[in-house]
Amino acid sequence: MANAASRQRKARPGNESGWVKEHGLLLANIGLFLVFFGGMILSGAAAYSEDQLSHGEPAVTALQYLGTGAFLEATFENWESEFLQMGMYVILTVFLFQKGSSESKPMGRVAPQDKDPRDAPLKEATPWPVRRGGWILKLYEHSLSIMFLLLFVASMALHAIGGSEEYSSEQQSHGQAPVTVLEYLATSRFWFESFQNWQSEFLAVAVLVGASVYLRERGSPESKPVAEPHYQTGA
């Protein structure tokens, strides 16, 4: 018995690899984000420095580039569109369906996501807001879309701040007056930057929703089982 307990204790540190496996999807995406974000900063600083030198101004380091309006604008105009896409997708999938798509809830029956949490049996592992009830539960049952909305608004505001700084710098280099953040929001440039990103995000979602009716990816939860009929809706 002692030997068995000893083996169990020695096996527990191995749970570290289990933790990595359990969180692999999140860790991989965070890792890819950091790699590509680092590449964006380095290449962005190089491009910004080239533009500076062409105008007779000093180049900047990667650290200095992080404090420029160009960095804020380039970063948050993209983040803004991503958070808008994901937030709208979360909301639209509550009400809308696509027959045959793995991205849609099943049709003709109640999906688990539609069940009222107030009717669920309470357990120790039940999320605290569900056990608490009231307005806290009301917020919690819409917390995913609220989070994306707040991230979208914050990113849009930072896009406007960085964009107005960069736009003002360009204006001044041409002997024109700088603009405020509110004035920049009224420019066609701000909306062009936003719309060019927004349209691509919703195109990608439309392709995924439509393609998942007919195409498969074995092993992916974003796909139906390979042998499942095209008309089968949901996972």
Side-chain angles (χ1 to χ4, degrees):
M1 292 292 291
N3 289 337
S6 177
R7 284 195 298 271
Q8 287 180 347
R9 284 194 296 271
K10 290 178 180 178
R12 283 173 185 166
N15 289 336
E16 294 173 5
S17 61
W19 185 89
V20 171
K21 182 178 180 179
E22 290 173 352
H23 300 84
L25 187 58
L26 176 62
L27 293 173
N29 278 279
I30 291 175
L32 288 168
F33 162 73
L34 292 174
V35 169
F36 294 137
F37 192 54
M40 173 194 152
I41 292 172
L42 295 175
S43 58
Y48 186 81
S49 292
E50 288 174 7
D51 186 62
Q52 288 282 95
L53 293 172
S54 68
H55 289 87
E57 297 178 9
V60 298
T61 64
L63 190 59
Q64 290 171 327
Y65 175 65
L66 296 179
T68 65
F71 169 75
L72 286 178
E73 181 181 40
T75 300
F76 289 104
E77 72 176 77
N78 281 283
W79 288 19
E80 160 197 315
S81 64
E82 299 293 343
F83 294 134
L84 174 65
Q85 175 214 51
M86 296 306 298
M88 287 299 299
Y89 190 56
V90 167
I91 293 170
L92 290 174
T93 53
V94 173
F95 307 103
L96 303 179
F97 301 87
Q98 177 57 52
K99 183 177 180 180
S101 177
S102 63
E103 294 296 308
S104 170
K105 289 189 295 185
M107 305 177 72
R109 60 186 174 89
V110 176
Q113 297 90 339
D114 292 328
K115 294 179 179 178
D116 193 331
R118 294 159 188 81
D119 299 331
L122 300 181
K123 306 174 184 177
E124 185 178 349
T126 300
W128 174 79
V130 180
R131 289 185 277 115
R132 178 67 173 79
W135 66 270
I136 292 177
L137 173 56
K138 191 67 177 176
L139 283 177
Y140 183 68
E141 61 186 353
H142 299 290
S143 56
L144 188 59
S145 59
I146 290 171
M147 179 199 71
F148 279 119
L149 175 62
L150 293 175
L151 289 172
F152 166 69
V153 171
S155 296
M156 195 169 187
L158 289 167
H159 169 199
I161 292 170
S164 64
E165 183 180 328
E166 183 66 10
Y167 187 74
S168 293
S169 178
E170 294 174 8
Q171 289 285 92
Q172 289 174 313
S173 68
H174 291 90
Q176 297 176 316
V179 298
T180 64
V181 173
L182 289 178
E183 288 172 335
Y184 182 64
L185 285 171
T187 65
S188 57
R189 170 168 157 169
F190 173 79
W191 292 105
F192 172 69
E193 290 171 345
S194 293
F195 286 134
Q196 71 172 330
N197 284 288
W198 296 358
Q199 57 85 23
S200 64
E201 300 297 341
F202 287 101
L203 172 62
V205 170
V207 170
L208 178 61
V209 170
S212 68
V213 176
Y214 304 103
L215 305 180
R216 307 287 189 269
E217 184 60 43
R218 184 178 177 185
S220 174
E222 296 301 311
S223 167
K224 294 184 294 187
V226 177
E228 200 155 272
H230 294 324
Y231 60 78
Q232 187 68 41
T233 306

